[in-house]
Structure formats: C-alpha cells, structure tokens
Amino acid sequence: MNIFRLAGDMTHLMSILVLLLKIYATKSCSGISLKTQELYAVVFLARYLDLLTDFFSLYNTVMKVVFIVSSLAIVWCMRYHRAVRRTYDRELDTFRHYFLILGSFVLALIFHEKFTVREIFWAFSIYLEAVAILPQLVLLQRSGNVDNLTGQYVFFLGAYRGFYILNWIYRYFTEAHFGRWIASISGLVQTALYADFFYYYFLSWKNNAKLKLPA
Amino acid sequence: ATGPEAHDEL
C-alpha cells in the first residue's frame, strides 16, 4: 500500500458517500445514470470474485464488501425505492450500455494476463470500469444544470483513478516485476474520459457558477 | 494466489 493508492481508495469511497448522501438527503436520483450504477455493480462483482477465496488484508476485504454492497444498494434504490425511482431521468438515461458490457468482455477474451475465468473476469472488470462513466457523462450533458452533489460525485469518481495512475508509476519504480499494463492503460483511458468534465468543473469552480456541460 | 501476479489492488 502507498499513499497514492490510499488516497485513490479514499477518494473512491468519498464519491460513493457523496452519491449515497445525495440520494438519501434529497430522496432524489435526478441527474444520476442508473446505467452507470449498474455497470459499476457488474465491475465490482466481476472484479472481486476472489473475495471469499483470497485474503490480503482486512482493509482489502472490507473495502471490497463496501463497494459491492453500496453499488447494489444504489441500483436497488434507483429501481425500486418508491420515492427515489420517481425522480430517475428515465427518458434521458438512454445510453445502450449493454454494448459496453459486450465490448469489454470481448476485449477481455483477447487481452488478459492468463486465460483463466478469474483473470478474464478481472480484465473484463478493468475495461468495463474505464467506460462505465459514459452513460453518466451523456446524462449530464443532456440534463442541463448539474446539482452540486452530482458534480462532486463525478469529480471524486474521476479523481480516484488519477491517484491510481500515480500509484502505478510509484510501484513501477519501486517494485522489480511490476507490470500492470492492463490496469495502467485502462486507467489512463478512464481518467482521460473525464478530461472535459474536469475542465468544465474547474471553470464552474473558478467562476463560482453552476456546473453546466455543453450539449 | 498471493504471488506477484495476484491482484492486491481494489
């Protein structure tokens, strides 16, 4: 564990807490893409297949459980909670995310560390996470102004993988055989997808204006 | 697998 990875995990946890706060405090999920939340649930379920077989540390196991339970709880809330589901922007959240699942799985069948179920699902989860934010970014562009909590949620979600990139650079220089090319390249793509969001988020912060993504 | 190839990151 290094400071970059810990900062990344805490930022990731922060994004989830902000989203839970938004949904719980405002009893609304307007501006939130259910499809992105579903993709994240798939990412964590596919990535943490080793939850019950491999034990690295209490931290590692606890965080995996937190990510799986929170992503499933958010999907359940947006689909079935009486008050929340009414605020879901169904007609705006139309990104065909099944293609992202299919594409990521095909890519994982081609590029993986070992041709085993665990490794193919792990690579699949890495590729899927890189593109999982797309439905959410499309929804933000369509839904005019973005409320503060939603903007902060996406900001922390984008920033966490940026910290992981610093972690991979650090591990590359400090560990002999560190070659996590799948995660590193995918992480770069993932963070790059947030570039325009970060730009408009920074502008809104600088001008103290409401966050607005151009359509 | 807790060797080098194991995925110790979240």
Side-chain angles (χ1 to χ4, degrees):
Chain A
M1 174 61 82
N2 58 63
I3 188 64
F4 304 113
R5 186 145 61 99
L6 184 62
D9 291 342
M10 291 305 107
T11 305
H12 192 185
L13 186 63
M14 193 63 192
S15 76
I16 293 169
L17 293 178
V18 165
L19 180 55
L20 287 171
L21 172 69
K22 172 203 163 57
I23 293 177
Y24 181 75
T26 66
K27 286 288 178 286
S28 158
C29 63
S30 68
I32 301 297
S33 163
L34 172 60
K35 301 190 173 201
T36 284
Q37 300 311 315
E38 288 170 347
L39 292 179
Y40 269 108
V42 171
V43 164
F44 295 133
L45 289 170
R47 187 174 303 174
Y48 302 146
L49 294 176
D50 62 352
L51 178 64
L52 304 175
T53 56
D54 287 5
F55 179 82
F56 290 103
S57 68
L58 185 63
Y59 171 82
N60 187 270
T61 301
V62 166
M63 292 296 277
K64 285 175 177 175
V65 170
V66 166
F67 289 160
I68 290 174
V69 169
S70 59
S71 60
L72 291 175
I74 288 163
V75 168
W76 180 87
C77 214
M78 291 184 71
R79 278 180 171 271
Y80 305 114
H81 186 289
R82 267 185 327 287
V84 172
R85 65 194 296 254
R86 273 202 304 270
T87 62
Y88 168 47
D89 304 323
R90 187 179 312 279
E91 65 291 340
L92 290 177
D93 193 18
T94 58
F95 196 102
R96 284 192 291 279
H97 62 324
Y98 296 112
F99 288 124
L100 298 176
I101 296 177
L102 186 70
S104 303
F105 195 76
V106 167
L107 200 61
L109 289 174
I110 302 167
F111 299 108
H112 42 262
E113 294 190 1
K114 272 190 301 190
F115 196 77
T116 64
V117 169
R118 275 270 309 283
E119 284 304 320
I120 286 173
F121 271 90
W122 181 82
F124 162 63
S125 80
I126 292 289
Y127 301 139
L128 186 60
E129 185 188 358
V131 294
I133 198 62
L134 288 174
Q136 179 61 63
L137 292 178
V138 166
L139 179 58
L140 289 186
Q141 282 176 342
R142 291 180 181 166
S143 61
N145 350 344
V146 177
D147 70 73
N148 290 342
L149 285 172
T150 303
Q152 283 155 9
Y153 162 64
V154 177
F155 174 75
F156 285 124
L157 199 50
Y160 112 83
R161 215 63 182 168
F163 280 117
Y164 256 77
I165 291 170
L166 299 178
N167 151 67
W168 290 317
I169 294 169
Y170 174 83
R171 293 188 77 174
Y172 177 79
F173 286 113
T174 55
E175 291 175 27
H177 51 259
F178 184 79
R180 275 191 175 58
W181 302 114
I182 289 179
S184 306
I185 293 168
S186 191
L188 276 171
V189 169
Q190 176 171 337
T191 308
L193 287 177
Y194 286 80
D196 71 330
F197 172 83
F198 284 145
Y199 172 67
Y200 289 109
Y201 193 76
F202 168 72
L203 284 186
S204 80
W205 171 78
K206 194 160 74 75
N207 308 329
N208 199 15
K210 274 297 265 179
L211 173 62
K212 176 119 183 53
L213 295 185
Chain B
T2 53
E5 80 288 343
H7 302 299
D8 59 349
E9 297 180 344
L10 290 173

